[in-house]
Amino acid sequence: MSNAPRDTHRASARSGHINLEQQRKRAKELLARLTDGSAAAPPSLLSRRSASAPRLADAQWLIARELGFASWPRLKAHVDAVDFAAAHPGFVADDEAGTRHLRCGNDIAHTLQLAGFRGAFHMFADPLCMGPVPEQPEAAFIETRSAFVARTFGLPPDDARGRMRGEYEALARLPDAGRAVLWCEADAYDQLFLIAVLARLERLPAKLELIEIDRVPGVDRFIGIGQLAPAVLAWLWPRRRPIDAPALELARNAWRAYRASSPEAWADIAHGETPALPFLAPALRRQLQELPSLRDGLSLTERLVLQTIDEHDRPAFGQVYAELNEHREPLPFLGDLMFHALVRPLIDAAEPLIVESEAQRDWPRRPLELTTLGRRVLAGERYWIDHASHERWIGGVHIEPRQAHWAIDDALRPVWRGEPR
């Protein structure tokens, strides 16, 4: 809603913690602007207003709608619930010391402590949305993932192996927990973490619960749980739900499909209904778009990067990442180092699509521009896999440069491109 001033609520639009008095002030300021004509009443307001002159209730309704609520009373009820959770620590009375909170990253570890949670926090950081995720025995799989993480993020191999083993050993001990709670978002990073955890559970904890969200009222663009204020985590806590048998079966099937060398079963699940884990199918559909497109050989991430660079004058690496995360990516899932790793093959190829300059700077500050080949691939005149130098994995699907491979069509269905299989 463009008529309401936005600068006074930017903090809440990131953290989800809404200050009601601040919103009342914004409504009064907006009413003044609607009254003197400096702000035009949007059609949605004109269609609901009975009086000819704007009223405070009209401005409050517009503010509430901007923040994602159907009405001002709904906004007030949400703020009251969050404030109550923050003011009454009894809301964590059933979060015992034996509870294990699991998250794919450490972005809420400190915030949980601030909010008064008492259970132990376990981070699982293996980015299963990147690199090889083949069907292998556990020990071999950990070695495969360790080698990928070390190579991709510049870690000493022994350090990467030690961290990876520690993460998977913690998952192996999960059934011994009195309660386990998984905190997840709707993106591919989190949903793949979710099915990986559930699929490997042969024995369940006494209680196994899930907190799963794709948006928070009052947050302009929800990127992740880590951006939320402690009081909002408190508000989320009563919204957890038990993980049931259908969710476990779906997770096992989806995890097996994602690790297969063909994306066909994965695509079938992605295009179906997954009510037991409602965010899984959309996340799997988005992850399918990391396969090469039949049109240009680019993944969706690669195409968005090229488009962003093409539309700006030598943007910095970090600027491209911010533009992607804040505006272009339909289901944000990449951290900054993950983003940098995905873009490197476009720069480091023998026939690059992107030129990186001022290499003496830290990578986020280096300017980027497209090569002639980059422009031609973006226009659909060349096919990227025919020029690429680096192999690529998406789940269990292996893409080798200049070789026959799996791709996706415009309907996000897998197609074998090249020699008959």
Side-chain angles (χ1 to χ4, degrees):
M1 196 243 337
S2 59
N3 289 324
R6 299 178 65 83
D7 56 336
T8 57
H9 85 289
R10 282 177 181 164
S12 69
R14 290 290 301 173
S15 72
H17 194 188
I18 301 171
N19 184 311
L20 191 60
E21 289 306 313
Q22 183 183 81
Q23 304 311 317
R24 287 195 175 103
K25 180 180 178 182
R26 294 181 66 229
K28 291 178 181 177
E29 293 171 350
L30 177 57
L31 175 61
R33 296 177 61 207
L34 291 169
T35 301
D36 66 20
S38 60
S44 59
L45 177 60
L46 295 175
S47 64
R48 76 180 293 273
R49 200 173 73 199
S50 57
S52 57
R55 303 167 301 170
L56 180 60
D58 297 322
Q60 289 176 336
W61 180 77
L62 287 171
I63 294 292
R65 291 293 296 270
E66 182 192 62
L67 293 174
F69 298 90
S71 66
W72 182 263
R74 293 280 183 88
L75 164 61
K76 187 176 183 302
H78 171 78
V79 172
D80 289 344
V82 171
D83 289 346
F84 179 85
H88 296 79
F91 81 93
V92 292
D94 59 352
D95 173 37
E96 304 295 343
T99 298
R100 297 185 190 177
H101 299 276
L102 279 82
R103 172 90 175 122
C104 52
N106 65 353
D107 54 353
I108 65 170
H110 181 60
T111 313
L112 284 173
Q113 292 181 343
L114 292 177
F117 288 87
R118 295 175 291 185
F121 178 83
H122 293 281
M123 176 182 72
F124 183 87
D126 186 3
L128 298 167
C129 53
M130 296 175 62
V133 190
E135 187 69 55
Q136 291 178 319
E138 183 82 348
F141 181 75
I142 292 174
E143 286 299 315
T144 295
R145 295 302 299 169
S146 300
F148 166 74
V149 167
R151 181 174 64 252
T152 302
F153 300 107
L155 298 176
D158 288 344
D159 288 357
R161 187 178 298 109
R163 293 183 192 183
M164 196 71 65
R165 286 176 177 170
E167 289 184 9
Y168 282 92
E169 287 171 2
L171 292 186
R173 295 191 297 270
L174 188 61
D176 299 327
R179 163 188 277 160
V181 181
L182 288 77
W183 296 73
C184 294
E185 297 145 19
D187 60 78
Y189 192 149
D190 286 55
Q191 292 297 305
L192 292 171
F193 151 74
L194 174 60
I195 63 174
V197 172
L198 298 184
R200 70 194 318 280
L201 288 177
E202 297 180 1
R203 181 169 56 89
L204 301 184
K207 288 184 179 180
L208 182 60
E209 297 171 321
L210 174 63
I211 293 174
E212 189 178 42
I213 58 173
D214 66 342
R215 62 176 58 88
V216 174
V219 176
D220 286 348
R221 179 166 167 83
F222 177 70
I223 302 295
I225 295 174
Q227 77 193 74
L228 302 177
V232 184
L233 296 188
W235 172 73
L236 285 173
W237 178 247
R239 286 156 178 77
R240 68 196 184 278
R241 63 181 176 86
I243 293 174
D244 56 16
L248 289 168
E249 182 180 5
L250 173 60
R252 292 179 183 125
N253 291 337
W255 183 234
R256 187 182 309 112
Y258 183 65
R259 300 174 72 184
S261 59
S262 161
E264 294 167 298
W266 162 14
D268 288 342
I269 296 173
H271 287 283
E273 299 293 331
T274 57
L277 296 172
F279 297 141
L280 179 60
L284 291 179
R285 285 197 298 274
R286 171 61 187 90
Q287 188 67 358
L288 277 173
Q289 293 176 282
E290 290 304 284
L291 290 167
S293 166
L294 276 176
R295 286 181 290 142
D296 51 24
L298 295 169
S299 71
L300 177 58
T301 297
E302 291 169 337
R303 189 177 306 108
L304 293 174
V305 167
L306 295 186
Q307 289 172 348
T308 301
I309 297 171
D310 187 50
E311 294 170 13
H312 294 79
D313 181 20
R314 300 180 73 242
F317 222 132
Q319 179 185 347
V320 176
Y321 172 66
E323 173 75 14
L324 182 78
N325 225 30
E326 297 290 342
H327 302 291
R328 298 181 184 243
E329 169 57 56
L331 202 57
F333 70 101
L334 289 173
D336 55 353
L337 295 180
M338 296 164 64
F339 171 77
H340 179 248
L342 282 183
V343 175
R344 291 270 17 134
L346 307 184
I347 298 170
D348 298 334
E351 299 179 78
L353 304 187
I354 300 171
V355 172
E356 173 190 57
S357 55
E358 301 183 32
Q360 74 280 5
R361 293 187 172 192
D362 293 338
W363 72 261
R365 300 172 58 202
R366 298 173 191 168
L368 303 177
E369 56 186 317
L370 299 187
T371 64
T372 299
L373 178 60
R375 294 189 182 90
R376 299 193 74 177
V377 169
L378 183 58
E381 299 170 1
R382 290 287 186 272
Y383 192 78
W384 169 227
I385 305 302
D386 293 340
H387 300 270
S389 302
H390 299 71
E391 68 172 3
R392 187 169 183 199
W393 289 80
I394 307 93
V397 180
H398 188 201
I399 310 294
E400 294 186 86
R402 301 175 174 85
Q403 301 295 319
H405 59 271
W406 284 104
I408 55 167
D409 62 18
D410 289 344
L412 303 187
R413 287 292 182 177
V415 177
W416 181 255
R417 185 183 188 274
E419 297 296 325
R421 301 179 68 229

